[in-house]
């Protein structure tokens, strides 16, 4: 996680102004006391020499450039302030009354795995976005300005085969809610599974992770925990056994559709998390998405993982090279997670990355994804405000 602002430019301008003011005040006091014409001549000569020096001219040009950029940014912010506020601050949306599931252990927004698409959309309305996922089907994202955020994936029979939320929309027959901590979840559900079999191969889950996987009701239930909130439940994903077994390995070949799907899913997950924490909604930025994509592609092709690329460029160098103007910016990176859900939940449990996701001042986000030769994804998030 890296962040840059233009506070340093403002500080330098203030210091420069104070220096000039303080210097002139000292000269003025001395002149009043000494009434010396020779002193005035000396001061004038020294000032003329300083003004004519290349160092002084370079400093003035640099400060002028900083003032120009800052003024332009402030002008744009003032011009668009009202419009941006209306577009990005979510209105209050009533939370649904959650009922105890009738067919399964868990439901999300009163939706259970096995419900028909027609039944789901009677409750949730029309999806705001549909995007390709790692199961070769689509996540359909339902929400109202990212409040009451739910993703549902349907099988070939238009039946809900996967559910996800990172908002407090969970109900269960085991009294597990978003207020439950890891130990309470395990007390109710038992010990999580440590591996999953696909064909003749066992895939081992990462040890000491911030999530547990349980096999319940012929579903794989992944419960994510927020280690910055006392390991309470922060999200849940439910995948039917049939859908999970249809994916033959942990990683799915990195198609163009999957790349785009992962990018938009990570964007939506970020906004849903921000709304959950009472923050404004970020706007998708196509230009900075390209900046993010290029860095993910560079890391994937050249087998490295770093904010600084092999040419020594920082995220801010890359953004400036692509003519992205900003007054504050940040970058998050993730690699190896087999979906945007796991990438997002991992980033939220990393304090520095979490600060970018929940940064008050950011207004725009672009996400870029690329896959290496082993189909492992690299994720880059570029945040900024202007």
């Amino acid at each position: 996680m890296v962040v840059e602002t233009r506070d340093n430019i403002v500080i330098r301008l203030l210091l420069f102004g104070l220096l000039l003011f303080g210097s002139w005040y000292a000269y003025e006091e001395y002149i009043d006391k000494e009434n010396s014409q020779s002193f005035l001549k000396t001061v004038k000569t020294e000032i003329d020499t300083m003004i004519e020096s290349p160092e002084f001219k370079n400093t003035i040009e640099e400060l002028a450039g900083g003032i120009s950029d800052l003024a332009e940014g402030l002008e744009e912010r003032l011009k668009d302030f009202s419009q941006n506020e209306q577009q990005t601050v979510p209105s209050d949306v009533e939370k649904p009354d959650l009922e105890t599931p009738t067919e399964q252990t868990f439901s999300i927004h009163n939706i259970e795995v096995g419900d028909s698409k027609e039944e789901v959309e009677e409750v949730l309305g029309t999806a705001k976005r549909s995007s390709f996922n790692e199961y070769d089907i689509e996540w359909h994202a339902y929400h109202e300005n990212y409040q009451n955020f739910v993703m549902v994936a349907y099988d070939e029979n238009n039946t809900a085969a996967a559910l996800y939320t990172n908002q407090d929309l969970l109900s269960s027959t085991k009294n597990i809610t978003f207020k439950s901590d890891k130990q309470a979840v395990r007390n109710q559900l038992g010990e999580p599974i440590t591996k999953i079999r696909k064909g003749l191969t066992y895939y081992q889950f990462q040890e000491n992770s911030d999530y547990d996987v349980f096999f319940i009701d012929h579903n794989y239930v992944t419960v994510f925990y927020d280690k910055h909130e006392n390991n309470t439940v922060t999200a849940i994903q439910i995948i039917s056994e049939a859908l999970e077994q249809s994916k033959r390995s942990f990683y799915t070949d990195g198609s163009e559709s999957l790349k785009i799907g992962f990018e938009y899913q990570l964007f939506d997950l970020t906004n849903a998390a921000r709304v959950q924490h009472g923050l404004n909604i970020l706007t998708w930025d196509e230009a900075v998405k390209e900046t993010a994509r290029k860095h993910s592609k560079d890391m994937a092709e050249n087998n490295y993982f770093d904010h600084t690329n092999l040419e020594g460029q920082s995220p801010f160098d890359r953004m400036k090279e692509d003519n992205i103007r900003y007054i504050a910016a940040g970058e998050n990176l993730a690699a190896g997670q087999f979906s945007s859900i796991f990438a997002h939940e991992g980033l939220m449990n990393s304090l520095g990355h979490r600060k970018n996701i929940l940064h008050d001042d950011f207004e725009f986000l672009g996400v870029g994804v690329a896959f290496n030769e082993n189909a492992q994804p690299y994720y880059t998030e570029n945040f900024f405000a202007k």
Side-chain angles (χ1 to χ4, degrees):
M1 182 281 297
V2 286
V3 182
E4 180 179 77
T5 70
R6 288 194 177 162
D7 291 347
N8 59 328
I9 294 174
V10 176
I11 291 169
R12 288 167 60 195
L13 289 171
L14 290 173
L15 289 175
F16 184 71
L18 288 172
L19 178 62
L20 288 178
F21 176 80
S23 299
W24 177 250
Y25 180 79
Y27 291 148
E28 187 177 55
E29 286 295 306
Y30 190 84
I31 292 166
D32 286 344
K33 291 178 181 178
E34 300 295 333
N35 194 23
S36 171
Q37 293 297 318
S38 62
F39 177 78
L40 281 174
K41 291 179 181 179
T42 301
V43 170
K44 183 178 184 304
T45 301
E46 290 179 354
I47 291 175
D48 288 344
T49 301
M50 180 181 71
I51 289 173
E52 292 301 320
S53 69
E55 293 81 2
F56 184 83
K57 290 181 178 179
N58 289 339
T59 301
I60 292 298
E61 288 177 2
E62 183 179 351
L63 289 172
I67 292 170
S68 175
D69 288 348
L70 185 60
E72 184 176 338
L74 289 173
E75 183 180 1
E76 290 179 4
R77 282 178 70 90
L78 289 171
K79 182 175 64 177
D80 298 331
F81 180 77
S82 297
Q83 182 180 0
N84 284 344
E85 284 296 299
Q86 293 174 359
Q87 289 178 350
T88 60
V89 177
S91 59
D92 290 331
V93 175
E94 186 177 350
K95 180 181 174 181
D97 293 326
L98 299 177
E99 302 172 357
T100 303
T102 57
E103 303 293 332
Q104 307 257 317
T105 302
F106 293 102
S107 65
I108 295 174
H109 202 308
N110 299 323
I111 303 298
E112 301 177 38
V113 168
D115 288 351
S116 68
K117 185 175 183 180
E118 182 180 1
E119 291 172 320
V120 170
E121 298 202 334
E122 277 184 18
V123 176
L124 302 181
T126 304
K128 297 295 191 294
R129 191 194 312 278
S130 298
S131 55
F132 202 66
N133 67 21
E134 68 275 17
Y135 292 97
D136 287 333
I137 55 177
E138 291 183 329
W139 278 120
H140 300 262
Y142 301 89
H143 57 86
E144 301 168 75
N145 290 326
Y146 287 100
Q147 297 181 79
N148 295 333
F149 179 83
V150 180
M151 294 201 302
V152 184
Y154 303 100
D155 61 19
E156 65 277 8
N157 299 314
N158 267 342
T159 297
L163 305 173
Y164 168 88
T165 188
N166 59 353
Q167 296 184 357
D168 189 9
L169 300 169
L170 175 67
S171 57
S172 77
T173 59
K174 300 287 188 178
N175 296 318
I176 295 171
T177 69
F178 271 43
K179 296 179 181 178
S180 305
D181 62 22
K182 180 185 285 190
Q183 192 55 55
V185 172
R186 290 183 174 186
N187 288 343
Q188 289 294 324
L189 301 182
E191 286 299 309
I193 62 176
T194 60
K195 56 187 176 183
I196 183 172
R197 180 176 175 177
K198 291 178 177 288
L200 300 176
T201 304
Y202 281 94
Y203 292 89
Q204 192 80 25
F205 292 116
Q206 181 181 344
E207 294 182 8
N208 302 317
S209 62
D210 296 315
Y211 62 85
D212 285 332
V213 181
F214 303 92
F215 186 66
I216 305 169
D217 303 327
H218 298 286
N219 299 319
Y220 291 96
V221 179
T222 304
V223 181
F224 298 92
Y225 305 104
D226 189 336
K227 71 180 185 182
H228 300 293
E229 297 289 343
N230 301 313
N231 273 327
T232 50
V233 176
T234 190
I236 185 168
Q237 175 184 265
I238 307 171
I239 305 292
S240 73
E241 180 181 19
L243 182 59
E244 183 62 54
Q245 289 300 328
S246 71
K247 184 162 72 82
R248 304 310 299 172
S249 67
F250 268 10
Y251 294 110
T252 305
D253 288 342
S255 66
E256 183 69 15
S257 296
L258 185 59
K259 175 175 70 176
I260 295 170
F262 276 178
E263 290 170 347
Y264 280 122
Q265 287 153 29
L266 194 49
F267 173 78
D268 286 343
L269 294 167
T270 299
N271 270 334
R274 288 177 65 87
V275 166
Q276 183 76 350
H277 288 81
L279 298 172
N280 63 296
I281 295 168
L282 301 177
T283 300
W284 177 265
D285 188 89
E286 192 70 15
V288 86
K289 177 210 73 176
E290 292 299 326
T291 304
R293 264 192 187 180
K294 285 187 290 187
H295 188 55
S296 289
K297 185 173 185 288
D298 189 35
M299 290 190 295
E301 291 181 350
N302 293 291
N303 192 32
Y304 76 96
F305 183 71
D306 202 307
H307 290 289
T308 302
N309 65 19
L310 300 179
E311 297 176 356
Q313 291 179 310
S314 72
F316 316 112
D317 295 329
R318 295 191 293 273
M319 291 174 72
K320 289 172 183 176
E321 185 177 67
D322 290 342
N323 297 313
I324 308 298
R325 290 184 173 273
Y326 61 85
I327 59 172
E331 179 176 89
N332 283 352
L333 302 180
Q337 296 88 349
F338 36 85
S339 77
S340 288
I341 289 175
F342 282 85
H344 170 73
E345 299 301 336
L347 290 169
M348 283 293 288
N349 272 320
S350 170
L351 189 58
H353 298 100
R354 182 190 185 95
K355 286 181 178 178
N356 271 347
I357 292 170
L358 303 181
H359 197 298
D360 284 350
D361 296 332
F362 287 151
E363 301 171 321
F364 301 92
L365 171 61
V367 181
V369 172
F371 300 88
N372 67 11
E373 60 184 8
N374 298 316
Q376 296 170 331
Y378 286 72
Y379 306 85
T380 301
E381 296 178 310
N382 284 145
F383 305 82
F384 71 100
K386 63 181 181 180

